[in-house]
Amino acid sequence: MSNSTTPRTPLRTLHPEDVRKTPGGLSLDIVLTPALRPAPRSVCKSSTSSPKTSADISEKLSNAATRREEVLHMRKENIDQKLAMVQNKKDEIVNEKATRTKEELDAKLKDSEDNKNFILKKAKDDVKAHLAMVELKMKDLELLTEAEKIARKIGLDEDIMKADEKRSEQLEKRIKDIQEHVDYVKSVSATQEMKKKLYLAGLEKSMEEAGKRKEEAVAKVVEVAKEEEAKVEEAKLRREKEEKAFQDNMKATLSEKSGKVEENQANKDEMFKSKMEERNRRAELVRQNKLRLEQEGVDGTNLGPESA
């Protein structure tokens, strides 16, 4: 046991000396005073204290009720803060999901628009290439027809020149018999003239038939181009209908998902509210039991001295 005469020295009067740094940390020497004895506990205070009165007990109960109300108020504020945080988080999730869905939808619409423009451009390029090919073939046909015409004209001129040469030779050789062959030359000339007329008539007919064939080819090409344009327009309308149906489907899906999210959140809020009401009810029951027990304890304390 410690001696009652041992002086008491506060622990804060101890101080380290010779602090040294070592590889493992700090090293120091502490000089301690002799063993200290704790101060004797006051007995007179507890013996002289007066018994608690009903006013003190009421004041303590009032203070306890006030503290409980403050605690409940703080809990309610914390719950409101958490609900606000949950609502903010919900709004952030819904906004983020809507933004992401809108971006994906815009990207898909942009891709479909690019594909549509690419298909239209390709169709127009094909039609232009086809028309250019048809025009080139028409030019080749015109050149061929003109070449055939020129060749026939050159052949006719050669025939005429040969006939003239032959006729000159005959005139030179048979200058004396010219009178005898006048009728023959006239008949030959008439025959040549008839043949020339027949040839020109046949050539005119051939040119008319070639012109008709060219017009039919041009009409056929124009008809094919119109059919291509109708197909392109039909594909464009079908593509627009598909895009509209896709947009309507996406809007319906978004509305359905948003409704489900709101319904789930409402269910969670309702469950949380029910739990909080149950917790408050239990806390109220505990408080009432506590008050009842404290009141019963106060009644027992008041009745004790009287019965004694």
Side-chain angles (χ1 to χ4, degrees):
M1 293 179 64
S2 62
N3 190 0
S4 61
T5 61
T6 304
R8 295 179 69 255
T9 304
L11 292 176
R12 63 175 175 270
T13 58
L14 301 177
H15 58 279
E17 295 181 356
D18 299 332
V19 179
R20 298 184 301 276
K21 289 185 178 180
T22 63
L26 296 176
S27 175
L28 54 98
D29 296 331
I30 299 175
V31 179
L32 301 175
T33 60
L36 303 177
R37 182 183 64 84
R41 297 179 65 183
S42 177
V43 181
C44 61
K45 183 178 180 182
S46 61
S47 62
T48 59
S49 61
S50 60
K52 294 181 179 180
T53 63
S54 61
D56 295 334
I57 292 171
S58 298
E59 185 178 357
K60 288 183 178 181
L61 289 175
S62 177
N63 293 333
T66 303
R67 286 194 298 272
R68 278 195 299 274
E69 288 179 358
E70 290 178 354
V71 170
L72 289 175
H73 183 67
M74 290 175 65
R75 286 182 180 176
K76 186 177 179 182
E77 288 181 351
N78 291 332
I79 290 168
D80 292 336
Q81 290 178 359
K82 288 181 180 179
L83 286 175
M85 290 174 64
V86 169
Q87 186 65 30
N88 292 332
K89 188 68 177 178
K90 171 191 166 185
D91 295 338
E92 289 178 0
I93 291 171
V94 171
N95 292 331
E96 183 180 356
K97 191 170 184 181
T99 304
R100 186 168 63 252
T101 306
K102 184 180 179 183
E103 290 177 354
E104 292 176 357
L105 185 61
D106 291 338
K108 289 181 180 179
L109 288 175
K110 185 178 180 183
D111 293 337
S112 63
E113 187 68 23
D114 294 338
N115 292 331
K116 181 178 73 175
N117 293 331
F118 177 74
I119 291 170
L120 290 175
K121 184 178 178 183
K122 186 177 179 182
K124 288 181 180 179
D125 293 339
D126 292 340
V127 172
K128 287 181 180 178
H130 187 68
L131 290 175
M133 189 179 296
V134 170
E135 188 176 357
L136 184 62
K137 286 183 179 179
M138 288 175 61
K139 288 182 179 179
D140 293 339
L141 182 63
E142 289 177 357
L143 291 174
L144 183 62
T145 304
E146 191 68 24
E148 289 178 356
K149 184 177 178 182
I150 292 171
R152 287 177 182 176
K153 187 176 180 181
I154 291 172
L156 184 61
D157 291 338
E158 287 180 355
D159 292 339
I160 292 171
M161 288 175 67
K162 287 179 180 179
D164 290 338
E165 290 177 357
K166 188 177 181 179
R167 191 168 57 246
S168 297
E169 289 177 357
Q170 289 175 357
L171 287 173
E172 287 178 359
K173 289 179 179 180
R174 299 178 182 181
I175 191 69
K176 293 179 181 180
D177 300 332
I178 192 166
Q179 289 298 326
E180 295 177 1
H181 292 87
V182 168
D183 296 333
Y184 176 76
V185 171
K186 287 182 179 180
S187 65
V188 170
S189 297
T191 304
Q192 290 292 332
E193 197 68 27
M194 183 64 67
K195 287 181 179 181
K196 184 177 179 180
K197 288 181 180 180
L198 290 174
Y199 178 75
L200 290 175
L203 183 62
E204 249 179 50
K205 187 177 181 181
S206 298
M207 289 178 67
E208 288 178 359
E209 290 178 355
K212 289 181 180 179
R213 286 196 299 271
K214 183 170 74 173
E215 289 177 357
E216 289 177 357
V218 171
K220 190 177 291 185
V221 170
V222 171
E223 184 177 358
V224 171
K226 288 181 179 179
E227 290 178 357
E228 291 293 333
E229 285 185 1
K231 289 180 180 179
V232 169
E233 188 66 24
E234 184 180 357
K236 181 178 179 182
L237 293 175
R238 187 168 58 253
R239 187 66 180 177
E240 290 177 354
K241 289 181 180 178
E242 291 177 355
E243 290 177 357
K244 186 176 180 181
F246 179 75
Q247 291 178 359
D248 294 338
N249 191 11
M250 288 299 295
K251 287 180 179 179
T253 304
L254 287 175
S255 299
E256 183 179 357
K257 289 183 177 179
S258 178
K260 288 183 178 179
V261 169
E262 291 179 355
E263 183 178 357
N264 292 332
Q265 188 62 36
N267 292 331
K268 289 180 180 179
D269 293 341
E270 188 67 26
M271 290 176 64
F272 185 76
K273 187 176 180 181
S274 301
K275 288 181 179 179
M276 290 306 302
E277 290 177 355
E278 181 68 20
R279 185 179 296 176
N280 291 333
R281 187 178 64 79
R282 290 181 180 178
E284 184 64 25
L285 289 174
V286 170
R287 186 179 68 81
Q288 291 177 2
N289 291 331
K290 207 170 198 182
L291 286 174
R292 184 172 56 79
L293 291 174
E294 288 176 355
Q295 288 176 0
E296 289 178 357
V298 170
D299 294 338
T301 304
N302 293 331
L303 291 173
E306 292 178 0
S307 62

